[in-house]
C-alpha cells in the first residue's frame, strides 16, 4: 500500500470543528485547546494545501469554495473513524489466562465449575495446562498455577488451598478391613510419565505402617491419577490416593478407606508472580479458584 499524503490529523480536526462552528473560539472550546492553537492549526493546514480555506471576518469565519469542498469529505472521514472506534470500544476485548495444574486437580475439582468463571467473566478465556512438573509463570508457559509444596517460593504470591493427605483406598467389594490383610491384595501405583519417581508412594506409606510381607513395588502402574481411581473402583486393587481428590467417591461409597495410617504430603497452593498482583485477568481466575474451596469434595 502506498503512503498516504495527508496533513496532520490534529489540523484536520481543528479545521472541521472551526468550519462547523464558523468560529475558532467555539472550535477551541470543543477540542479543549486555545483559540490561538486553533488558528495556528488552520494556518498550517492552508500552507500544507496551498489554498485558503477561510475568509476571516472580525467575529466569524467564512468558508471559501475550497473550504466547503474539504469540509464535506473531512466531516465524513471523521464520522467513519468515530464510528469504527465506538464499535471497538463497545465490544469487550477478550483476554486469556493459562492456569497450570495437575491432571487430577483439573478433572476432579476445577473442570465441573468452569461455567461459573465464564458467567462471571464472559470476556475471559481460561486455558488449562495439565502437568506434574512446575512450569514458568512467565505469561507464555502459564500465568497462574496450582502447585503442591511448602508455599514458600521467592517472587510468587501463594494462597494455601487444601492439605494433601494420602490414604489407602479401594472398592468395598474387596471387603478389606484389617491392615494385616493388605499383602493379599494387589497394589495400584500412580507415576506420572514426566516424573522419575512418585512424590508419594507405597514405599513411603510402608515406612509408617510397617506391614509385614507387603511388596511395595508390585502391581500395575498408571500415568494418570484418574485411571488409578477407576482401577480402584473396579476392584483391581488398593490405591494410595489424596483424600481431597477422591471425596466424591468416598461419600458415594464407591471407594472406602479401610484403615490408616494417613501419609501427609505437601499442601496445594494457588500461586502467581508478585508482579502480577494487579493483573485483572489473573485476579479473576484467582478469585474463581478461591470461591471453589467450599465445593472441594473432601468427605
Amino acid at each position: 500500500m502506498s503512503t498516504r499524503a495527508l496533513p496532520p490529523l490534529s489540523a484536520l480536526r481543528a479545521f472541521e470543528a472551526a468550519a462547523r462552528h464558523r468560529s475558532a473560539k467555539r472550535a477551541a472550546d470543543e477540542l479543549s485547546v486555545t483559540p490561538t492553537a486553533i488558528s495556528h492549526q488552520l494556518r498550517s493546514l492552508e500552507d500544507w494545501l496551498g489554498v485558503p480555506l477561510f475568509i476571516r471576518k472580525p467575529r466569524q469565519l467564512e468558508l471559501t469554495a475550497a473550504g466547503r469542498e474539504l469540509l464535506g469529505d473531512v466531516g465524513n472521514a471523521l464520522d467513519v473513524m468515530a464510528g469504527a472506534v465506538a464499535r471497538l470500544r463497545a465490544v469487550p476485548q477478550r483476554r486469556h489466562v493459562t492456569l497450570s495444574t495437575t491432571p487430577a486437580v483439573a478433572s476432579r475439582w476445577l473442570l465441573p465449575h468452569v461455567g461459573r468463571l465464564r458467567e462471571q467473566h464472559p470476556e475471559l478465556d481460561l486455558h488449562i495446562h495439565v502437568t506434574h512438573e512446575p512450569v514458568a509463570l512467565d505469561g507464555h508457559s502459564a500465568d497462574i498455577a496450582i502447585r503442591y509444596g511448602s508455599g514458600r517460593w521467592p517472587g510468587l504470591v501463594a494462597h494455601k488451598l487444601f492439605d494433601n493427605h494420602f490414604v489407602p483406598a479401594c472398592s468395598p467389594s474387596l471387603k478389606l478391613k484389617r491392615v494385616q490383610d493388605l499383602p493379599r491384595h494387589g497394589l495400584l501405583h500412580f507415576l506420572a510419565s514426566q516424573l522419575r519417581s512418585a512424590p508419594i508412594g507405597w514405599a513411603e506409606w510402608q515406612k509408617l505402617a510397617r506391614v509385614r510381607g507387603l511388596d511395595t513395588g508390585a502391581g500395575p502402574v498408571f500415568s494418570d491419577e484418574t485411571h488409578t481411581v477407576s482401577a480402584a473402583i473396579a476392584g483391581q486393587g488398593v490405591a494410595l490416593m489424596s483424600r481431597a481428590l477422591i471425596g466424591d467417591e468416598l461419600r458415594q461409597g464407591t471407594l472406602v478407606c479401610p484403615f490408616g495410617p494417613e501419609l501427609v504430603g505437601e499442601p496445594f497452593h494457588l500461586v502467581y508472580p508478585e508482579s502480577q498482583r494487579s493483573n485483572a485477568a489473573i485476579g479473576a481466575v484467582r478469585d474463581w479458584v478461591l470461591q471453589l474451596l467450599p465445593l472441594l469434595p473432601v468427605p
Side-chain angles (χ1 to χ4, degrees):
M1 182 180 294
S2 60
T3 303
R4 294 184 176 90
L6 292 173
L9 179 59
S10 58
L12 292 174
R13 291 186 66 205
F15 162 74
E16 191 274 339
R20 184 162 28 87
H21 290 295
R22 301 295 196 269
S23 167
K25 182 180 184 308
R26 288 198 290 272
D29 292 340
E30 177 181 318
L31 299 178
S32 300
V33 296
T34 65
T36 300
I38 293 291
S39 297
H40 176 75
Q41 293 283 10
L42 298 181
R43 292 290 186 191
S44 68
L45 181 59
E46 289 175 321
D47 291 342
W48 195 91
L49 293 170
V51 295
L53 300 173
F54 295 98
I55 299 170
R56 290 162 174 79
K57 297 185 176 181
R59 295 188 178 181
Q60 186 178 5
L61 294 174
E62 183 177 322
L63 284 166
T64 63
R68 288 192 296 272
E69 180 181 352
L70 184 62
L71 176 60
D73 290 336
V74 170
N76 290 337
L78 290 175
D79 288 342
V80 169
M81 286 190 287
V85 170
R87 287 192 299 274
L88 287 176
R89 293 184 67 185
V91 177
Q93 297 300 301
R94 302 208 63 77
R95 299 172 294 168
H96 77 267
V97 172
T98 299
L99 168 64
S100 179
T101 187
T102 67
V105 169
S107 63
R108 306 184 68 78
W109 184 36
L110 300 181
L111 293 186
H113 308 291
V114 168
R116 175 182 294 199
L117 177 64
R118 190 165 54 247
E119 290 174 1
Q120 295 173 346
H121 299 278
E123 80 290 351
L124 182 62
D125 295 324
L126 177 65
H127 299 183
I128 295 182
H129 173 265
V130 293
T131 180
H132 285 276
E133 291 279 344
V135 299
L137 301 182
D138 55 7
H140 300 288
S141 300
D143 302 289
I144 186 170
I146 295 176
R147 293 179 176 173
Y148 46 82
S150 67
R152 296 184 296 274
W153 294 289
L156 296 181
V157 180
H159 302 273
K160 183 179 176 181
L161 297 177
F162 53 87
D163 291 319
N164 200 18
H165 293 178
F166 289 79
V167 294
C170 64
S171 168
S173 66
L174 296 186
K175 298 182 174 14
L176 183 59
K177 302 292 184 184
R178 302 187 311 153
V179 69
Q180 293 84 354
D181 296 330
L182 181 59
R184 298 204 303 268
H185 296 270
L187 300 183
L188 305 175
H189 305 266
F190 160 67
L191 176 60
S193 57
Q194 309 102 308
L195 302 178
R196 294 184 178 179
S197 62
I200 295 289
W202 282 110
E204 288 76 19
W205 183 85
Q206 168 68 348
K207 290 177 182 178
L208 287 178
R210 300 182 181 277
V211 180
R212 291 182 179 179
L214 183 65
D215 184 354
T216 60
V221 179
F222 302 88
S223 63
D224 188 311
E225 288 161 290
T226 57
H227 296 165
T228 314
V229 173
S230 297
I233 292 173
Q236 299 301 308
V238 185
L240 189 65
M241 299 301 303
S242 172
R243 180 186 287 274
L245 298 178
I246 58 170
D248 286 338
E249 288 78 9
L250 293 176
R251 279 200 302 269
Q252 295 162 6
T254 55
L255 287 178
V256 295
C257 295
F259 42 70
E262 290 190 356
L263 190 61
V264 179
E266 297 280 12
F268 280 90
H269 294 81
L270 180 69
V271 298
Y272 51 91
E274 285 270 8
S275 61
Q276 298 300 315
R277 276 185 183 271
S278 60
N279 185 302
I282 291 177
V285 174
R286 174 201 60 211
D287 294 346
W288 168 67
V289 172
L290 296 179
Q291 288 168 11
L292 298 184
L293 284 176
L295 305 178
L296 187 69
V298 179

